[in-house]
Amino acid sequence: METVKVELQGNETVVPIPKSFQVQPGTEFRIIKGNDGTLTLIPTKQSPATIEKLFKDWHGKYQMPDDLKEWEKL
């Protein structure tokens, strides 16, 4: 467990996340405040950065949708 101090930056209150947590910059979270003041951060689902990452666990055969087949002719 680590202790951090809330900071004020402009019009926002910021809670720094230690590097040891390995949270990538730009990661988005939903935040929930419990009745006891506990803050819970829940990562939102992010789109993969590359087509390779999008399909990294897919092992099927790709089938071009009919409405996109015309693009191959261009």
PDB file of all heavy atoms in Angstrom, residues 16-40:
ATOM      1  N   PRO A  16      -2.369  11.543  -7.660  1.00  0.00           N
ATOM      2  CA  PRO A  16      -1.332  10.890  -8.464  1.00  0.00           C
ATOM      3  C   PRO A  16      -1.335   9.384  -8.245  1.00  0.00           C
ATOM      4  O   PRO A  16      -1.594   8.900  -7.146  1.00  0.00           O
ATOM      5  CB  PRO A  16      -0.035  11.519  -7.953  1.00  0.00           C
ATOM      6  CG  PRO A  16      -0.361  12.109  -6.632  1.00  0.00           C
ATOM      7  CD  PRO A  16      -1.830  12.380  -6.598  1.00  0.00           C
ATOM      8  N   ILE A  17      -1.052   8.649  -9.327  1.00  0.00           N
ATOM      9  CA  ILE A  17      -0.961   7.188  -9.251  1.00  0.00           C
ATOM     10  C   ILE A  17       0.522   6.831  -9.377  1.00  0.00           C
ATOM     11  O   ILE A  17       1.161   7.178 -10.367  1.00  0.00           O
ATOM     12  CB  ILE A  17      -1.778   6.528 -10.368  1.00  0.00           C
ATOM     13  CG1 ILE A  17      -3.255   6.912 -10.234  1.00  0.00           C
ATOM     14  CG2 ILE A  17      -1.603   5.010 -10.336  1.00  0.00           C
ATOM     15  CD1 ILE A  17      -4.132   6.430 -11.360  1.00  0.00           C
ATOM     16  N   PRO A  18       1.081   6.157  -8.386  1.00  0.00           N
ATOM     17  CA  PRO A  18       2.504   5.817  -8.433  1.00  0.00           C
ATOM     18  C   PRO A  18       2.865   4.979  -9.662  1.00  0.00           C
ATOM     19  O   PRO A  18       2.064   4.165 -10.136  1.00  0.00           O
ATOM     20  CB  PRO A  18       2.716   5.001  -7.152  1.00  0.00           C
ATOM     21  CG  PRO A  18       1.588   5.392  -6.255  1.00  0.00           C
ATOM     22  CD  PRO A  18       0.432   5.688  -7.159  1.00  0.00           C
ATOM     23  N   LYS A  19       4.078   5.187 -10.194  1.00  0.00           N
ATOM     24  CA  LYS A  19       4.553   4.433 -11.355  1.00  0.00           C
ATOM     25  C   LYS A  19       4.540   2.935 -11.099  1.00  0.00           C
ATOM     26  O   LYS A  19       4.357   2.137 -12.013  1.00  0.00           O
ATOM     27  CB  LYS A  19       5.968   4.866 -11.736  1.00  0.00           C
ATOM     28  CG  LYS A  19       6.017   6.134 -12.516  1.00  0.00           C
ATOM     29  CD  LYS A  19       7.444   6.383 -13.008  1.00  0.00           C
ATOM     30  CE  LYS A  19       7.483   7.623 -13.859  1.00  0.00           C
ATOM     31  NZ  LYS A  19       8.828   7.840 -14.421  1.00  0.00           N
ATOM     32  N   SER A  20       4.742   2.538  -9.849  1.00  0.00           N
ATOM     33  CA  SER A  20       4.782   1.107  -9.522  1.00  0.00           C
ATOM     34  C   SER A  20       3.464   0.406  -9.854  1.00  0.00           C
ATOM     35  O   SER A  20       3.429  -0.820  -9.982  1.00  0.00           O
ATOM     36  CB  SER A  20       5.125   0.910  -8.042  1.00  0.00           C
ATOM     37  OG  SER A  20       4.130   1.493  -7.222  1.00  0.00           O
ATOM     38  N   PHE A  21       2.382   1.154 -10.034  1.00  0.00           N
ATOM     39  CA  PHE A  21       1.093   0.564 -10.397  1.00  0.00           C
ATOM     40  C   PHE A  21       1.027   0.275 -11.894  1.00  0.00           C
ATOM     41  O   PHE A  21       0.106  -0.372 -12.364  1.00  0.00           O
ATOM     42  CB  PHE A  21      -0.057   1.487  -9.990  1.00  0.00           C
ATOM     43  CG  PHE A  21      -0.376   1.439  -8.522  1.00  0.00           C
ATOM     44  CD1 PHE A  21       0.595   1.663  -7.561  1.00  0.00           C
ATOM     45  CD2 PHE A  21      -1.656   1.197  -8.093  1.00  0.00           C
ATOM     46  CE1 PHE A  21       0.299   1.625  -6.205  1.00  0.00           C
ATOM     47  CE2 PHE A  21      -1.975   1.156  -6.741  1.00  0.00           C
ATOM     48  CZ  PHE A  21      -0.986   1.369  -5.802  1.00  0.00           C
ATOM     49  N   GLN A  22       1.974   0.773 -12.658  1.00  0.00           N
ATOM     50  CA  GLN A  22       2.086   0.560 -14.095  1.00  0.00           C
ATOM     51  C   GLN A  22       0.818   0.917 -14.864  1.00  0.00           C
ATOM     52  O   GLN A  22       0.378   0.196 -15.758  1.00  0.00           O
ATOM     53  CB  GLN A  22       2.508  -0.877 -14.395  1.00  0.00           C
ATOM     54  CG  GLN A  22       3.858  -1.222 -13.805  1.00  0.00           C
ATOM     55  CD  GLN A  22       4.283  -2.644 -14.085  1.00  0.00           C
ATOM     56  OE1 GLN A  22       3.516  -3.474 -14.562  1.00  0.00           O
ATOM     57  NE2 GLN A  22       5.541  -2.934 -13.779  1.00  0.00           N
ATOM     58  N   VAL A  23       0.225   2.058 -14.527  1.00  0.00           N
ATOM     59  CA  VAL A  23      -0.929   2.572 -15.258  1.00  0.00           C
ATOM     60  C   VAL A  23      -0.395   3.453 -16.387  1.00  0.00           C
ATOM     61  O   VAL A  23       0.377   4.372 -16.144  1.00  0.00           O
ATOM     62  CB  VAL A  23      -1.861   3.392 -14.332  1.00  0.00           C
ATOM     63  CG1 VAL A  23      -3.000   4.001 -15.122  1.00  0.00           C
ATOM     64  CG2 VAL A  23      -2.402   2.511 -13.213  1.00  0.00           C
ATOM     65  N   GLN A  24      -0.784   3.127 -17.617  1.00  0.00           N
ATOM     66  CA  GLN A  24      -0.291   3.860 -18.768  1.00  0.00           C
ATOM     67  C   GLN A  24      -0.933   5.245 -18.847  1.00  0.00           C
ATOM     68  O   GLN A  24      -2.140   5.388 -18.625  1.00  0.00           O
ATOM     69  CB  GLN A  24      -0.603   3.090 -20.063  1.00  0.00           C
ATOM     70  CG  GLN A  24       0.101   1.749 -20.156  1.00  0.00           C
ATOM     71  CD  GLN A  24       1.613   1.908 -20.175  1.00  0.00           C
ATOM     72  OE1 GLN A  24       2.138   2.750 -20.877  1.00  0.00           O
ATOM     73  NE2 GLN A  24       2.299   1.108 -19.387  1.00  0.00           N
ATOM     74  N   PRO A  25      -0.132   6.276 -19.160  1.00  0.00           N
ATOM     75  CA  PRO A  25      -0.708   7.614 -19.359  1.00  0.00           C
ATOM     76  C   PRO A  25      -1.789   7.559 -20.440  1.00  0.00           C
ATOM     77  O   PRO A  25      -1.654   6.861 -21.436  1.00  0.00           O
ATOM     78  CB  PRO A  25       0.487   8.442 -19.828  1.00  0.00           C
ATOM     79  CG  PRO A  25       1.678   7.727 -19.294  1.00  0.00           C
ATOM     80  CD  PRO A  25       1.311   6.263 -19.334  1.00  0.00           C
ATOM     81  N   GLY A  26      -2.871   8.268 -20.202  1.00  0.00           N
ATOM     82  CA  GLY A  26      -3.984   8.278 -21.144  1.00  0.00           C
ATOM     83  C   GLY A  26      -5.048   7.243 -20.853  1.00  0.00           C
ATOM     84  O   GLY A  26      -6.109   7.250 -21.474  1.00  0.00           O
ATOM     85  N   THR A  27      -4.781   6.326 -19.909  1.00  0.00           N
ATOM     86  CA  THR A  27      -5.781   5.330 -19.543  1.00  0.00           C
ATOM     87  C   THR A  27      -6.990   6.045 -18.948  1.00  0.00           C
ATOM     88  O   THR A  27      -6.848   6.933 -18.118  1.00  0.00           O
ATOM     89  CB  THR A  27      -5.214   4.327 -18.517  1.00  0.00           C
ATOM     90  OG1 THR A  27      -4.063   3.707 -19.073  1.00  0.00           O
ATOM     91  CG2 THR A  27      -6.237   3.269 -18.152  1.00  0.00           C
ATOM     92  N   GLU A  28      -8.179   5.664 -19.387  1.00  0.00           N
ATOM     93  CA  GLU A  28      -9.405   6.283 -18.881  1.00  0.00           C
ATOM     94  C   GLU A  28     -10.061   5.385 -17.839  1.00  0.00           C
ATOM     95  O   GLU A  28     -10.039   4.163 -17.958  1.00  0.00           O
ATOM     96  CB  GLU A  28     -10.386   6.528 -20.029  1.00  0.00           C
ATOM     97  CG  GLU A  28      -9.901   7.570 -20.999  1.00  0.00           C
ATOM     98  CD  GLU A  28     -10.923   7.856 -22.083  1.00  0.00           C
ATOM     99  OE1 GLU A  28     -12.061   7.339 -22.024  1.00  0.00           O
ATOM    100  OE2 GLU A  28     -10.569   8.601 -22.998  1.00  0.00           O
ATOM    101  N   PHE A  29     -10.639   6.024 -16.831  1.00  0.00           N
ATOM    102  CA  PHE A  29     -11.317   5.313 -15.755  1.00  0.00           C
ATOM    103  C   PHE A  29     -12.681   5.927 -15.491  1.00  0.00           C
ATOM    104  O   PHE A  29     -12.875   7.127 -15.668  1.00  0.00           O
ATOM    105  CB  PHE A  29     -10.516   5.423 -14.445  1.00  0.00           C
ATOM    106  CG  PHE A  29      -9.204   4.718 -14.455  1.00  0.00           C
ATOM    107  CD1 PHE A  29      -8.055   5.366 -14.875  1.00  0.00           C
ATOM    108  CD2 PHE A  29      -9.103   3.403 -14.035  1.00  0.00           C
ATOM    109  CE1 PHE A  29      -6.829   4.728 -14.874  1.00  0.00           C
ATOM    110  CE2 PHE A  29      -7.885   2.751 -14.032  1.00  0.00           C
ATOM    111  CZ  PHE A  29      -6.745   3.413 -14.458  1.00  0.00           C
ATOM    112  N   ARG A  30     -13.612   5.100 -15.046  1.00  0.00           N
ATOM    113  CA  ARG A  30     -14.835   5.602 -14.417  1.00  0.00           C
ATOM    114  C   ARG A  30     -14.501   5.660 -12.939  1.00  0.00           C
ATOM    115  O   ARG A  30     -13.774   4.806 -12.427  1.00  0.00           O
ATOM    116  CB  ARG A  30     -16.007   4.644 -14.651  1.00  0.00           C
ATOM    117  CG  ARG A  30     -16.534   4.690 -16.062  1.00  0.00           C
ATOM    118  CD  ARG A  30     -17.806   3.874 -16.248  1.00  0.00           C
ATOM    119  NE  ARG A  30     -17.625   2.490 -15.824  1.00  0.00           N
ATOM    120  CZ  ARG A  30     -18.422   1.851 -14.972  1.00  0.00           C
ATOM    121  NH1 ARG A  30     -19.461   2.450 -14.443  1.00  0.00           N
ATOM    122  NH2 ARG A  30     -18.182   0.605 -14.637  1.00  0.00           N
ATOM    123  N   ILE A  31     -15.004   6.646 -12.241  1.00  0.00           N
ATOM    124  CA  ILE A  31     -14.714   6.774 -10.813  1.00  0.00           C
ATOM    125  C   ILE A  31     -16.023   6.755 -10.037  1.00  0.00           C
ATOM    126  O   ILE A  31     -17.005   7.377 -10.424  1.00  0.00           O
ATOM    127  CB  ILE A  31     -13.887   8.042 -10.509  1.00  0.00           C
ATOM    128  CG1 ILE A  31     -13.448   8.071  -9.057  1.00  0.00           C
ATOM    129  CG2 ILE A  31     -14.636   9.294 -10.905  1.00  0.00           C
ATOM    130  CD1 ILE A  31     -12.402   9.118  -8.750  1.00  0.00           C
ATOM    131  N   ILE A  32     -16.009   5.995  -8.964  1.00  0.00           N
ATOM    132  CA  ILE A  32     -17.193   5.860  -8.114  1.00  0.00           C
ATOM    133  C   ILE A  32     -16.785   6.227  -6.693  1.00  0.00           C
ATOM    134  O   ILE A  32     -15.746   5.782  -6.205  1.00  0.00           O
ATOM    135  CB  ILE A  32     -17.732   4.411  -8.140  1.00  0.00           C
ATOM    136  CG1 ILE A  32     -18.126   4.013  -9.563  1.00  0.00           C
ATOM    137  CG2 ILE A  32     -18.901   4.249  -7.185  1.00  0.00           C
ATOM    138  CD1 ILE A  32     -18.420   2.535  -9.727  1.00  0.00           C
ATOM    139  N   LYS A  33     -17.597   7.047  -6.049  1.00  0.00           N
ATOM    140  CA  LYS A  33     -17.344   7.409  -4.649  1.00  0.00           C
ATOM    141  C   LYS A  33     -18.339   6.673  -3.773  1.00  0.00           C
ATOM    142  O   LYS A  33     -19.556   6.822  -3.917  1.00  0.00           O
ATOM    143  CB  LYS A  33     -17.472   8.915  -4.448  1.00  0.00           C
ATOM    144  CG  LYS A  33     -17.131   9.348  -3.039  1.00  0.00           C
ATOM    145  CD  LYS A  33     -17.162  10.850  -2.894  1.00  0.00           C
ATOM    146  CE  LYS A  33     -16.790  11.247  -1.474  1.00  0.00           C
ATOM    147  NZ  LYS A  33     -16.877  12.700  -1.293  1.00  0.00           N
ATOM    148  N   GLY A  34     -17.823   5.842  -2.869  1.00  0.00           N
ATOM    149  CA  GLY A  34     -18.674   5.087  -1.951  1.00  0.00           C
ATOM    150  C   GLY A  34     -19.187   5.956  -0.824  1.00  0.00           C
ATOM    151  O   GLY A  34     -18.699   7.066  -0.582  1.00  0.00           O
ATOM    152  N   ASN A  35     -20.164   5.451  -0.102  1.00  0.00           N
ATOM    153  CA  ASN A  35     -20.747   6.183   1.023  1.00  0.00           C
ATOM    154  C   ASN A  35     -19.722   6.506   2.103  1.00  0.00           C
ATOM    155  O   ASN A  35     -19.856   7.485   2.820  1.00  0.00           O
ATOM    156  CB  ASN A  35     -21.905   5.384   1.641  1.00  0.00           C
ATOM    157  CG  ASN A  35     -23.083   5.280   0.696  1.00  0.00           C
ATOM    158  OD1 ASN A  35     -23.261   6.120  -0.182  1.00  0.00           O
ATOM    159  ND2 ASN A  35     -23.882   4.244   0.861  1.00  0.00           N
ATOM    160  N   ASP A  36     -18.674   5.669   2.198  1.00  0.00           N
ATOM    161  CA  ASP A  36     -17.650   5.897   3.218  1.00  0.00           C
ATOM    162  C   ASP A  36     -16.491   6.768   2.707  1.00  0.00           C
ATOM    163  O   ASP A  36     -15.491   6.926   3.382  1.00  0.00           O
ATOM    164  CB  ASP A  36     -17.107   4.553   3.717  1.00  0.00           C
ATOM    165  CG  ASP A  36     -16.445   3.745   2.610  1.00  0.00           C
ATOM    166  OD1 ASP A  36     -16.502   4.162   1.426  1.00  0.00           O
ATOM    167  OD2 ASP A  36     -15.859   2.699   2.923  1.00  0.00           O
ATOM    168  N   GLY A  37     -16.645   7.308   1.482  1.00  0.00           N
ATOM    169  CA  GLY A  37     -15.606   8.155   0.917  1.00  0.00           C
ATOM    170  C   GLY A  37     -14.588   7.406   0.076  1.00  0.00           C
ATOM    171  O   GLY A  37     -13.692   8.004  -0.516  1.00  0.00           O
ATOM    172  N   THR A  38     -14.702   6.088   0.006  1.00  0.00           N
ATOM    173  CA  THR A  38     -13.791   5.283  -0.795  1.00  0.00           C
ATOM    174  C   THR A  38     -13.971   5.621  -2.272  1.00  0.00           C
ATOM    175  O   THR A  38     -15.093   5.700  -2.765  1.00  0.00           O
ATOM    176  CB  THR A  38     -14.079   3.777  -0.595  1.00  0.00           C
ATOM    177  OG1 THR A  38     -13.931   3.460   0.781  1.00  0.00           O
ATOM    178  CG2 THR A  38     -13.156   2.926  -1.421  1.00  0.00           C
ATOM    179  N   LEU A  39     -12.857   5.822  -2.975  1.00  0.00           N
ATOM    180  CA  LEU A  39     -12.893   6.072  -4.407  1.00  0.00           C
ATOM    181  C   LEU A  39     -12.469   4.799  -5.128  1.00  0.00           C
ATOM    182  O   LEU A  39     -11.447   4.199  -4.806  1.00  0.00           O
ATOM    183  CB  LEU A  39     -11.946   7.212  -4.794  1.00  0.00           C
ATOM    184  CG  LEU A  39     -12.228   8.569  -4.155  1.00  0.00           C
ATOM    185  CD1 LEU A  39     -11.163   9.570  -4.569  1.00  0.00           C
ATOM    186  CD2 LEU A  39     -13.617   9.065  -4.532  1.00  0.00           C
ATOM    187  N   THR A  40     -13.251   4.385  -6.099  1.00  0.00           N
ATOM    188  CA  THR A  40     -12.952   3.197  -6.885  1.00  0.00           C
ATOM    189  C   THR A  40     -12.765   3.617  -8.337  1.00  0.00           C
ATOM    190  O   THR A  40     -13.644   4.273  -8.907  1.00  0.00           O
ATOM    191  CB  THR A  40     -14.086   2.161  -6.791  1.00  0.00           C
ATOM    192  OG1 THR A  40     -14.311   1.847  -5.413  1.00  0.00           O
ATOM    193  CG2 THR A  40     -13.759   0.905  -7.555  1.00  0.00           C
TER     194      THR A  40
END
